[in-house]
Amino acid sequence: MKRLLVIGELNVDLIISGLPSLPVLGQELLCQDFEMTLGSSSAICASWLAALGATVDFWGKVGCDLYGEFVVGELERRGIGTDGVIRDSSIRTGVTVSLSYPHDRALFTYLGSIAALRLSDLHLGLLSRYDHLHSASIFLQRELRPGLPALYRAAKKAGLTTSLDSGWDPEEQWGRDVFDVLPHVDFFLPNETEALHLTGANDIEEAATELSCYAGTVVVKLGREGALACTGGQVWKASGFKVEVVDTTGAGDAFNAGFLYAHVIEGRPIPEALHFANACGAIAVTIIGGATALPSAAEVDAFIEEWQ
Ligand SMILES: Nc1ncnc2c1ncn2[C@@H]1O[C@H](COP(=O)(O)OP(=O)(O)OP(=O)(O)O)[C@@H](O)[C@H]1O
Ligand SMILES: [Mg+2]
């Protein structure tokens, strides 16, 4: 079985729901529910990969605090190897507070450990133990971002295949430095808005084609419309599943895991892998939270059968 390595940000999500109104300064509101869950795009993708059936290790950093313990415990509970998670007493574990309303949510993030991992923390000599490297949220991973080209170059040199999800840039600067890492990325996995911002293109196929001049294969997530993939001038499109949406948190991470599992681990051709990834995304939007009650690969295949 192939071994996957996810390197990335780690944090908890504190989700407050059932609020009677928007918050007002100077007032106290009672909420109906509160939940603490494992946050982080990279960790949610790792969770999906492990549930699908992959062997996954995580390299990252947490603070020496209760939230850090929780994060490591959650990764382990999901069967993800955590020997590469550093506990650093000089930082605090990152936190995202989500005020969740039926129509949308407001997020507040304390970066802490999310931004703290650096290239010098990573034992690049151990990369050769793995078959594939994935990372995400490059604009949040502020310390690691300048080191990404060197990390991905080292992974390629060690014989790994690689994937990267840019994620959203909260500062909306969309720095061109992402183009320095793309030549070492086999599968680049932005969503539609991210691909358009990164390239400045007006049209998604144009954006994907431009990005594929740098990266191997570009896979763009198109929300309920599904996804498209582009490599060497060839474009594939796969429609999404018309499911009833409950909560879209983590749909992109579920999609990434589905694509990597189907294509990189199982060797399914790109159109079939896109379909499998769309099924994972669709399943994710029908359940609350980013990584609760995750399906096995057989369960995703059964979901696809049901929809045929
Ligand atoms: N409303 C929906 N109906 C069906 N499938 C969906 C829906 N929204 C998302 N998906 C599935 O999930 C995948 C990823 O969703 P999306 O395009 O929103 O990615 P994203 O913006 O990166 O998500 P995230 O917010 O998790 O980062 C889509 O490609 C699709 O397969
Ligand atoms: Mg995303």
Side-chain angles (χ1 to χ4, degrees), residues 80-202:
I80 298 163
T82 59
D83 287 350
V85 177
I86 300 161
R87 274 91 159 168
D88 182 340
S89 58
S90 69
I91 57 164
R92 279 179 288 158
T93 302
V95 178
T96 293
V97 177
S98 169
L99 303 189
S100 176
Y101 293 88
H103 52 287
D104 211 344
R105 62 213 164 113
L107 303 178
F108 308 85
T109 292
Y110 168 69
L111 280 176
S113 60
I114 297 172
L117 188 70
R118 347 174 131 206
L119 184 65
S120 56
D121 291 325
L122 307 174
H123 298 288
L124 299 185
L126 300 182
L127 285 173
S128 56
R129 292 182 176 181
Y130 299 95
D131 298 292
H132 184 87
L133 167 68
H134 177 74
S135 191
S137 306
I138 60 173
F139 298 105
L140 296 179
Q141 297 200 67
R142 290 187 178 163
E143 293 287 339
L144 186 59
R145 187 168 150 200
L148 279 176
L151 169 61
Y152 273 73
R153 196 182 312 117
K156 290 303 298 172
K157 211 169 155 207
L160 285 75
T161 51
T162 59
S163 54
L164 183 68
D165 181 345
S166 60
W168 182 255
D169 179 1
E171 288 166 336
E172 299 197 42
Q173 299 292 315
W174 304 102
R176 295 286 297 179
D177 56 344
V178 65
F179 287 89
D180 297 336
V181 65
L182 290 186
H184 315 292
V185 174
D186 295 304
F187 305 100
F188 184 50
L189 303 153
N191 71 18
E192 182 172 15
T193 332
E194 292 153 3
L196 292 174
H197 278 294
L198 285 166
T199 56
N202 297 314

Side-chain angles (χ1 to χ4, degrees), residues 33-76:
D33 204 4
F34 168 79
E35 215 185 323
M36 176 158 86
T37 62
L38 177 65
S40 143
S41 248
S42 301
I44 292 171
C45 181
S47 302
W48 272 82
L49 281 164
L52 288 170
T55 306
V56 191
D57 280 354
F58 200 101
W59 292 4
K61 205 183 231 186
V62 293
C64 296
D65 48 26
L66 285 173
Y67 288 155
E69 285 305 310
F70 175 82
V71 163
V72 175
E74 281 297 291
L75 290 171
E76 285 173 355

Side-chain angles (χ1 to χ4, degrees), residues 191 221-224 226-227 241 243 245 248 250-253 255 277-278 281-282 285:
N191 71 18
K221 288 159 276 182
L222 307 172
R224 63 195 303 275
F241 292 77
V243 291
V245 179
T248 60
D253 311 319
F255 177 97
N278 277 332
V285 301

Side-chain angles (χ1 to χ4, degrees), residues 1 4 48-56 132 254-268 273 276-277 280 296-298 300-301:
M1 176 56 98
L4 271 77
W48 272 82
L49 281 164
L52 288 170
T55 306
V56 191
H132 184 87
F255 177 97
N256 293 346
F259 181 81
L260 296 175
Y261 187 84
H263 189 60
V264 174
I265 296 188
E266 292 203 321
R268 302 192 199 184
F276 187 89
C280 291
S296 65
V300 177
D301 282 327

